[in-house]
Amino acid sequence: MDDLYREIIIEHYKNPAHKGRLDPHDLAFADSNPLCGDHIEITLRTDGNEVVTEAAFDGHGCAISQASADLLIDSIIGKPVEEIKKLDKDYVLELLGIALGPVRLKCALLSLKVLKAGVYGLEEASDELVE
Amino acid sequence: MALDVARIRQDFPVLGRDVRPGVPLVYLDSTATSQKPSSVIVAMDQFYRRSNANIHRGVHTLAEEATAMYEAARTKIARFINAPSPRQVIYTRNTTESINLVAHTWARANLKSGDLVILTEMEHHSNLVPWYILAEERGIRLEFISVTEAGLLDLESYRTLLAQGPKLVSFAQMSNVLGTINPAEEIIRRAHEAGAVTLVDAAQSVPHFRVDVQALDADFLAFSAHKMCGPTGIGALYGRLDLLEGMPPFLGGGDMIREVHLRSFKPNVLPYKFEAGTPAIAEAVGFGAAVEYLAEVGMDDIAQHEHEVTEYALERLEEIPGVTVYGPGARQRGGVTSFTLDGIHPHDVAQILDRDGVAIRAGHHCAQPLHEKLGLPATSRASFYLYNTKDEVDKLVEGIYRAKETFA
């Protein structure tokens, strides 16, 4: 069986635990991967902007982008916002538990890029956020 | 005559490789770029090993050889598309640069604010963005021939647009997504009746079937070597002689000038007027070898073979539950099949197929407006060329079933 499509990834893709949109929310951010049309929106509720209390993602795309978004959201609930600012590429790859080529890496990192642009309060998400 | 595909496959070294040990390559991505036969690889290798020199001004033996090879290739390319003269074949980097050349020179000299340029909804970005740039800069107006449900150009909408007096009609002879072969002769004839100049994006047509610029009566026609068994980094623009002669130069520099003085220059004659700087010489030699190879195999036989493989692929793909194929039936289609699979993103389909060595493309294939029209962020695309077989279509279909299992 192919590593890339481990059961855990297919499972999070088909039955995401955190898919949807929090309304009201304290923070929302969205971005797309223009190459493949993957789209992710993340909404967060925080405890006075200190700790993430609730989080959700919405959007569409390939299994890698959607599964990594679900895994990422799951992992940040209860985390201090300051800690989220420090998350990097390796963090997501560890969550996924797979190695990825450069093209699919963009799919995997889209959710982290969106999340970090959101918590930093940026106008636009940039690839530098997840390097 | 039917192609001897087994023998043709021997001409392409890469087709003999395994993607991973024990997994042979099934290359179904020739619409992105074709593979290269040994004759092209050897021609370029020989050029560098024996004849490499800069062209046109040197008087030594190698410079003369290199110049002769560079120009002989142009003559072969001109013959391949039945251009009246090699002077009407300008070397460029690719189709994109050929279209940009027309947008920068002919269009800037001839179009003014409010002038209408007709494009189509199925264009590749290379035949859209140069015109968007010009629209911003010049205020030219852009209108689009619409695409029908069946994936064909709506010639009724074309008639309406023609009544508005366009200056240019620029369109793809074959869609790189839907595979649609557009009625180029009719489109050009009607454009001319309306007094418009025509530009044909022939990136997907010249590699796959006989294209005769005189029979088409095309004013400009653009194509790339790398999609027709030649190297990357070189393409061509064919142009009508009087248009090319009347156009200002494109890039400035060496080779494109006849005289240069401290404060002025006189441009060179055709085709050199449009070829500034040291060009892609070895690539031109490879381009020449590529058209020679295709001509020897025979373009009509290549077209017939691709038609048979495509017809079979459409049949097989359409019988898979959950697969939707976009575009017209085999009769109006070249060797391109774009499809989606319910519940599985095209990227995942392509990735799972790669496990079996099957190389297809996933994405919007540089035709985002067309995908917006179809209401899809992306599609998977399998495309066929002279070296592909029905067995390879079977491997594609097996791979799609495996993708379905993975996601079941």
Side-chain angles (χ1 to χ4, degrees), chain A residues 1-2 4-5 10 13-14 34-38 61-64 104 107, chain B residues 343-345 347-349 351-352 355 362-364 368 377-378 406-408:
Chain A
M1 197 53 207
D2 198 65
L4 218 52
Y5 294 96
I10 301 287
Y13 171 63
K14 289 173 69 178
L35 279 176
C36 46
D38 291 351
C62 65
I64 307 294
R104 299 316 295 278
C107 306
Chain B
I344 311 181
H345 191 278
H347 256 181
D348 296 319
V349 177
Q351 190 98 53
I352 290 170
R355 270 194 321 217
H364 51 56
Q368 223 174 338
T406 306
F407 278 81

Side-chain angles (χ1 to χ4, degrees), chain B residues 1 82 131 139 170 184 223-224 259 295 306 339 348 359 375-376 383:
Chain B
M1 210 181 72
N82 196 30
W131 308 113
S170 186
F223 53 106
S224 299
E259 298 169 23
E306 286 178 28
F339 60 93
D348 296 319
L376 300 167
S383 54

Side-chain angles (χ1 to χ4, degrees), chain B residues 221-292:
Chain B
L221 187 130
F223 53 106
S224 299
H226 75 95
K227 293 191 199 288
M228 49 193 290
C229 299
T232 55
I234 192 159
L237 173 71
Y238 159 81
R240 218 174 72 199
L241 197 58
D242 60 313
L243 291 176
L244 291 175
E245 278 177 340
M247 279 152 61
F250 181 32
L251 302 174
D255 242 19
M256 54 72 68
I257 41 82
R258 185 182 294 166
E259 298 169 23
V260 180
H261 308 288
L262 194 56
R263 292 180 193 280
S264 65
F265 78 98
K266 275 192 190 144
N268 205 338
V269 295
L270 289 173
Y272 314 112
K273 178 165 95 174
F274 297 107
E275 293 178 4
T278 297
I281 305 166
E283 285 78 2
V285 172
F287 196 175
V291 297
E292 207 162 44

